[in-house]
Structure formats: structure tokens, C-alpha cells
Amino acid sequence: MAIDAAQQTKFLLDESQLPRRWYNIRADMPTAPQPVLHPGTGQPVGPDDLAPLFPMALIQQEVSEEPEIAIPDEVLGILSLWRPTPLFRAHRLEAAIGTRSRIFYKYEGVSPPGSHKPNTAVAQAFYNKQEGRTRLATETGAGQWGSALSFACRLMGLECKVYMVRISYEQKPSRRSMIHAWGAEIVPSPSEDTQCGRAVLAEHPDSPGSLGIAISEAVEDAAGREDTAYSLGSVLNHVLLHQTVIGQEALAQMELAGAAPDVVIGCVGGGSNFAGLAFPFLREKIAGRDIDVLACEPAACPTLTRGVFAYDFGDTSKLTPLVAMHTLGHDFVPAPIHAGGLRYHGVAPLISQLVRDGLVRAEAYLQNDVFASAVTFAGSEGILPAPEAAHAIHGAIQTARAADDAGEKRTILFNLSGHGHFDMTAYDRYLAGTLEDIDLDEGEIERALRAIEGLPTPA
Ligand SMILES: Cc1ncc(COP(=O)(O)O)c(C=O)c1O
């Protein structure tokens, strides 16, 4: 007997419906993003400047203005191990919070490493292999990206070295084991293996590390070896591009559900899972559809809500080119909150520009509130979310409550970017009432932003 779409819980696509093309929002953005600048000359960087770090196919995707880019068959073959991912109607969450709104979520935790990250890891490993690189170096915050790239490199037959932010390395030993099982090498960052790492350790022997520091180490590693390229799990245009399979599938699944979202929500670290879900919906918003697009970030690292839009380095040691983005300053070290993947000083330039143009808005949340929503979600929908993804859950619950207060009924869609099976220490601390709320003081933001004084100003 067929189930009425309004009663249905899961909306599934057939493997043959896996998107064959990535969607490139650069083709539709009302304001073009600012050029990436060479820090020495202040001039736009060209493909040759980036060639030591990335394969040419990814550099071309970085600057492409084509609306759609074909996904290679070898990449589709690996993505089909877990894609298309399911879209759920959160009937039980709706009942638990007593809302009149409908809540849907796209679940990316079904991938082998447990998050959205392999959507780009597989593509990056593929292009690097195609152009003859045999080894990739990268950073990881929470460990999700490091696991995703280790997995992708293993399946593509490449070596992989992971610099893992030290606080997460200590909090999440099982992520380390997973990375080892997929055959990669992993060290805590700051490490003794690079000049940048040794310089940080000399000044701060107890540094908890940060994504900015770990990026510096991975870039230094890749720049120093012919066989090695650098691979970044977020922020860059091509990474966001690879994630758009999420939103394209979700568009088809919302159609199956006979519903169209008024609100689309994702958590933002560097911005890749948010972009993955939101960009295909923003394509419709730019074409005239009314959709509220909400980015959720931690109050301890409030890049979009309290940072500035400016040119800044992507890493702490100033090895990367300058990009125009929302930033808290490249030497800002976020407090060691448990959403390790959201501890980054910047946000993707494409998202920053969309925020600037009023197409995306942002909110920041305290971690105890986020964990309260995570536990409500786990107690109704069953899935234990990653602390990063729980920011999107909190955003969805807040949105539903605000609609109820206003006497409105909305259709809310959020991205559940990963499961939290390796984040149980964080849950233990929350449940024991020992999780600290860190609301950043203005003085620290002012201090950190002094680091970008004197850098070029965006147009
Ligand atoms: C589950 C999960 N969600 C979200 C993020 C944040 O990254 P991004 O903003 O690039 O999606 C991470 C990063 O590690 C993650 O592991």
C-alpha cells in the first residue's frame, strides 16, 4: 500500500539519480567574488602560482564560470557507495518540540567516514592521481576531513599525511585509528615535522592547535615535495562545488515529498556542507524564489556574525594567498569547543560574498544550547549528530519555535552533515554539566583583527 507523502519518513533516490554534474554558483552570483591576491605583489594570482599546491583541473574549477561541470565516472563510481543519501521528514522531532512547522533533513552521515567530506575528498584524490601526484598532505580539525581524505586516498591508491589539530587529536583517539586503518600517516598539530609547527611550539609549547596552524603545516609539507599536493577540505571554490551533489539531490527529494523549503539551514566552519545544500537552492532564490538561507556558527568562533569582510590569509603562518572573506584574523585561535570542525578563523569567499549581498544570513550559538538540541534530536529521530551538525539542528529548532511564536507554519530543511559517534566525550561532558560556554569578548576580536591591518582592502 502506498504511503501518503505527508506521512512518509524517508525520501530516497535511486542510484541512477545521482547527480552527474556539479553546480557552480559563480555563474549566477549577483556580485562576482573578489580576486585572490598574491601577498608579495598584491596582484591577482594566476594558475602558475597555485600549480605547486594543486592539480590544474582543480585550479580551473576554482576560477570556472561555467554553471555546471561534469563529474568524472571514476568519482561517480566511488560516490555511489553511499550516494544518493537519504532525506528524512523529522516527524518525531516536530512532535517532540510541538511545532506546527515541517522539518526535513538531508543526512550525510551515511558515508563511510561519517560526514559530507568524502564528496570532495574523492574528487580531489581523483584529479591529483590523474595529474601524477602520489601523495596528499592535509589538515584536519575534528578528524572528519582527515578520515575522508584517508578513505579517498586509499581507494584511489595515493599516500596521505594528516596534520590533526592537537586538541581534537587528544579528544578523539578513535578518529586517529580510523585514519590509520585507511593507511594514512597522522601527527598532532602543531608538530615537530614542519618549520611552522616548530615555530608555534617554541612560543606556545601547550598550544591546542587550530585549523589555521594545521593548514600552514600541510601547505609547507606539500610545497616542499614534488610528489605531494595540498588538499583542503573546505573554503575553496572547488571544494564547495563538489559538495553541490547534496543540494541537487535534496531538490529532487523535496519534490518527492511534495514540499518546497521556505528555510534552508546548514552549519558553517569553512562553509562546505552549508554550500553543498544551500547553493542549488540559492540558484532558485537568485531566480526569484523566496527562501530564507541561514548559516549557523559557534559563538566561540563567530566569523560571519562578528568578523569583518576583508582580505586575509587562509592560515596562521601566512603561506596561502590572500582571499576576501569574513574573518576573525589569521592568528585568532578559537577556544577549544567540541565542534572542532567549526574552529576556523575564516569562511569561504563565495559564502562571504553571498552574506554581503544579503542572500544568506547568519546566527551564532553557545555550545550548551547546541548540545541540548542535539540530545533532543537524538531522543526523537535517533541519530546522534556530530557537534558541528548539531548547530544546524539548533538553527532548525529555533526557526520552528520562532515560527510558532509568530503563528506561522514553515517548511524547514537542514543539512545533518555527519554523525557524532566519535564525539562521545563531548556528549559525556554535556550530560555531566561540565561543558563550558564560551562567548567571545570584543577585546579579543579587536586584538586578533589587528593582524590584518595593512592588508589590501576589498572593493
Ligand atoms: C560533521 C561536520 N560538519 C561540518 C563541518 C564543518 O566544515 P564545513 O563548514 O566545511 O562543512 C565539519 C568539519 O570538520 C564536520 O566534520
Side-chain angles (χ1 to χ4, degrees), residues 108-109 114-117 140-146 172 175 211 233-235 239-240 243 266-276 296 339-344 346-348 351 385-390 415-420 423:
E108 290 294 306
S115 78
H116 64 294
K117 297 281 182 182
T140 192
Q144 290 270 22
W145 170 243
K172 298 191 179 189
R175 276 276 165 210
L211 275 174
S234 191
V235 180
V239 180
L240 276 52
Q243 292 293 352
C267 68
V268 171
S272 72
N273 87 89
F274 170 81
C296 306
L342 306 186
R343 295 178 66 241
Y344 182 60
V347 165
I351 295 173
E388 292 84 2
N415 199 12
L416 189 61
S417 53
H419 67 64
D423 299 281

Side-chain angles (χ1 to χ4, degrees), residues 71-377:
I71 307 176
D73 286 345
E74 208 176 321
V75 173
L76 286 171
I78 295 182
L79 295 187
S80 68
L81 289 172
W82 70 95
R83 302 209 74 86
T85 61
L87 182 127
F88 291 87
R89 167 87 186 268
H91 289 291
R92 289 167 185 274
L93 175 66
E94 289 168 20
I97 63 170
T99 185
R100 296 170 58 227
S101 288
R102 290 184 292 184
I103 305 178
F104 293 86
Y105 60 97
K106 179 76 169 153
Y107 186 40
E108 290 294 306
V110 295
S111 77
S115 78
H116 64 294
K117 297 281 182 182
N119 295 331
T120 181
V122 171
Q124 293 190 43
F126 169 79
Y127 290 115
N128 274 291
K129 185 179 174 189
Q130 205 184 32
E131 292 185 26
R133 250 55 172 250
T134 56
R135 180 177 175 272
L136 295 182
T138 197
E139 71 293 327
T140 192
Q144 290 270 22
W145 170 243
S147 340
L149 195 68
S150 311
F151 156 75
C153 283
R154 185 66 172 183
L155 268 65
M156 287 282 175
L158 299 177
E159 285 176 57
C160 182
K161 165 109 180 231
V162 180
Y163 294 85
M164 183 167 186
V165 175
R166 186 195 279 175
I167 178 83
S168 298
Y169 185 91
E170 282 160 9
Q171 283 170 350
K172 298 191 179 189
S174 303
R175 276 276 165 210
R176 276 190 252 160
S177 313
M178 201 172 186
I179 289 168
H180 275 144
W182 274 315
E185 187 189 343
I186 175 166
V187 289
S189 166
S191 78
E192 293 288 350
D193 295 5
T194 64
Q195 257 177 25
C196 311
R198 290 190 291 274
V200 176
L201 286 173
E203 220 177 300
H204 307 286
D206 295 328
S207 167
S210 69
L211 275 174
I213 297 169
I215 292 173
S216 296
E217 292 207 89
V219 168
E220 183 185 322
D221 178 319
R225 287 178 61 153
E226 277 283 305
D227 63 349
T228 302
Y230 169 62
S231 179
L232 185 65
S234 191
V235 180
L236 298 177
N237 302 350
H238 67 265
V239 180
L240 276 52
L241 174 83
H242 299 156
Q243 292 293 352
T244 58
V245 288
I246 303 174
Q248 293 181 68
E249 287 175 7
L251 273 167
Q253 288 163 308
M254 289 302 291
E255 216 167 286
L256 286 181
D262 324 297
V263 194
V264 172
I265 300 176
C267 68
V268 171
S272 72
N273 87 89
F274 170 81
L277 179 68
F279 282 6
F281 287 92
L282 279 162
R283 185 183 209 174
E284 307 220 320
K285 179 167 177 166
I286 293 165
R289 227 180 93 188
D290 185 16
I291 312 177
D292 178 20
V293 183
L294 172 63
C296 306
E297 61 182 11
C301 190
T303 318
L304 288 172
T305 49
R306 294 172 68 190
V308 294
F309 183 82
Y311 269 107
D312 195 5
F313 293 95
D315 71 319
T316 306
S317 299
K318 305 193 268 193
L319 297 179
T320 68
L322 290 167
V323 291
M325 61 180 177
H326 283 84
T327 179
L328 292 163
H330 53 263
D331 70 1
F332 175 74
V333 178
I337 52 163
H338 283 276
L342 306 186
R343 295 178 66 241
Y344 182 60
H345 68 272
V347 165
L350 292 179
I351 295 173
S352 293
Q353 187 60 53
L354 292 162
V355 168
R356 227 181 155 208
D357 286 345
L359 286 160
V360 172
R361 69 186 177 91
E363 288 182 354
Y365 309 130
L366 293 168
Q367 66 174 347
N368 275 298
D369 295 339
V370 167
F371 273 91
S373 290
V375 167
T376 300
F377 184 79

Side-chain angles (χ1 to χ4, degrees), residues 1 12 20 36 63 65 71 88 114 121 136 142 252 263 322 402 434 455:
M1 200 179 67
L12 304 174
R20 292 290 192 269
V36 174
V63 295
E65 289 181 4
I71 307 176
F88 291 87
L136 295 182
V263 194
L322 290 167
T434 58
L455 295 177

